[in-house]
Amino acid sequence: MSWTDERIATLQKMWEGGSTASQIAEELGGVSRNAVIGKAHRLGLKSRPSPVKANDKKKAAKKPAAKAAAPKPAAKAAPKPAAKPAPPKAAPAPVNADAPATGNDSAPSQPVPNPAPNLPKIVSVGPGGFLRQGPGDQQPPIPPAPPRRLVPAKPSPDIADKTSLLDLSDKVCRWPMGHPGEPDFHFCGQSVNPGFPYCVEHCGRAYQAQLPRGVRRPPPPLPFGGPRVR
DNA sequence: CCCTGATTCGC
DNA sequence: GCGAATCAGG
């Protein structure tokens, strides 16, 4: 298998979308996890939570003589300024539940299609203003797919209303709908909750409040998460 | 053990 | 450029 433009694009988007190299490799097919990582680095994209690269302490002058026979005298001098965009953590954002704010070309006055008139059991309010909910509280509130048309124009009509891999940007929700590789696989495409990779609705699913032990349920829907069902 | 990404190096 | 082998942390 060779790295065609499409395969590279898939790799790129999935990599940026947070998928692991294994998942990407499995999705692309015909390549190994190492191939994906190698290609990703060659493409220039890299970083992302690496278990190995993250730390850098207490190794400077600890055991210089532990390994005398250094098999790989690699000369390294790459100061990586650990760039942490600090995703959804402690963000003391003013909870303006109905102030979408910023680059919303066309979202007049209907940010959340589900105001939930009865206000069931919201656990907490996320930093971006989305509502955190328990894993089990997702059943009723997703009735109609809100008409979204913030995409300028589509060259191909059969994917006219779908956000494809190539349509992802910082402005649209990257929540995957379906599985990559399937014919109708696409992404949510809604306007993002400012500062997050997902829209408000999917932020509520991505960042769930912890439930007390015993009440927790195992299967939370994760993007690219579970085993493929083929 | 499993997983992860990073890096090296022969091709 | 490619990716298996290897490394190294979780």
Side-chain angles (χ1 to χ4, degrees), chain A residues 97-98 109-120 122 131 141-144:
Chain A
D98 57 357
S109 59
Q110 214 179 30
V112 183
N114 175 35
N118 52 349
L119 290 179
I122 304 312
L131 302 177
I142 318 178

Side-chain angles (χ1 to χ4, degrees), chain A residues 38-230:
Chain A
K39 182 59 179 175
H41 285 190
R42 258 173 263 123
L43 285 173
L45 36 92
K46 53 184 186 300
S47 203
R48 263 211 305 139
S50 158
V52 181
K53 244 324 204 193
N55 55 31
D56 200 84
K57 301 168 187 170
K58 63 182 175 187
K59 279 261 177 121
K62 197 77 189 236
K63 293 183 177 180
K67 292 187 177 182
K72 313 231 172 191
K76 294 181 174 61
K80 294 266 168 77
K84 296 252 177 191
K89 268 306 195 219
V95 184
N96 268 350
D98 57 357
T102 79
N104 230 335
D105 339 87
S106 58
S109 59
Q110 214 179 30
V112 183
N114 175 35
N118 52 349
L119 290 179
K121 35 200 165 178
I122 304 312
V123 179
S124 62
V125 176
F130 58 86
L131 302 177
R132 284 203 183 100
Q133 52 186 340
D137 308 334
Q138 308 173 357
Q139 212 54 333
I142 318 178
R148 42 180 158 74
R149 61 175 61 191
L150 29 90
V151 238
K154 283 303 188 323
S156 184
D158 55 320
I159 56 167
D161 60 337
K162 308 232 170 153
T163 301
S164 82
L165 208 50
L166 304 170
D167 298 324
L168 290 183
S169 74
D170 293 340
K171 294 291 183 199
V172 302
C173 176
R174 297 170 175 232
W175 191 271
M177 317 287 275
H179 282 103
E182 290 171 1
D184 62 335
F185 171 68
H186 61 285
F187 293 85
C188 170
Q190 266 283 17
S191 305
V192 293
N193 187 9
F196 296 89
Y198 306 122
C199 64
V200 172
E201 174 183 333
H202 286 131
C203 272
R205 303 186 58 172
Y207 311 113
Q208 292 180 358
Q210 282 279 75
L211 290 182
R213 305 231 175 216
V215 196
R216 214 173 309 172
R217 255 194 282 185
L222 291 176
F224 305 118
R228 302 289 310 279
V229 195
R230 285 192 188 146

